[in-house]
Amino acid sequence: MTRKILIAAALAAALPALAAVYYFIDPASAVWAPKCPFRLLTGLDCPACGSQRALHAVLHGAWAEAMACNPFLVVSLPYLALVAFTTLRPPGEKSVLKYIQHPVTVRVYLAAVIGWWILRNTPLWH
């Protein structure tokens, strides 16, 4: 097997397993849930702070709760799903790949992450 097929198979197995864990276990009350090292060191939120709780809420259909935990993650879900799809896509399927993994798309998303990181730590957000 090629490396790409192994990565796709690992993702295809890991994503449903991870979703099951976050469906059944609430990270807000789970002691084992990882804590954000950036927040522990600085007291500020990183772009992903609240993502575990937001994912748990999304899996339960509680969209308002998910938006309260991490709105950037919630609005990023379609893009992240497309990234996963392009990783798991059938061989030869490149129509979506050229847009999703295009350098401009990746840079725009990275700029949005950085913008979210800054915004969520300003008094305007709180």
Side-chain angles (χ1 to χ4, degrees):
M1 281 196 194
T2 67
R3 184 172 189 245
K4 193 171 191 176
I5 292 172
L6 288 172
I7 291 171
L11 275 175
L15 289 177
L18 187 62
V21 167
Y22 280 107
Y23 181 85
F24 290 110
I25 299 172
D26 183 0
S29 60
V31 178
W32 61 266
K35 306 297 181 240
C36 177
F38 182 79
R39 187 169 190 185
L40 290 173
L41 289 172
T42 66
L44 299 171
D45 290 333
C46 80
C49 280
S51 293
Q52 294 180 85
R53 290 174 285 128
L55 181 58
H56 177 76
V58 164
L59 291 170
H60 286 273
W63 292 95
E65 182 182 338
M67 287 294 285
C69 294
N70 189 327
F72 187 79
L73 173 77
V74 176
V75 299
S76 293
L77 286 175
Y79 175 71
L80 297 173
L82 287 171
V83 169
F85 170 75
T86 59
T87 304
L88 301 173
R89 76 188 186 287
E93 174 59 44
K94 296 189 186 284
S95 60
V96 177
L97 175 67
K98 66 183 176 183
Y99 300 109
I100 300 302
Q101 294 183 358
H102 191 278
V104 172
T105 306
V106 173
R107 287 184 187 121
V108 166
Y109 186 74
L110 178 61
V113 169
I114 293 169
W116 166 240
W117 194 351
I118 293 167
L119 176 66
R120 77 180 319 190
N121 287 297
T122 64
L124 294 173
W125 186 254
H126 300 283

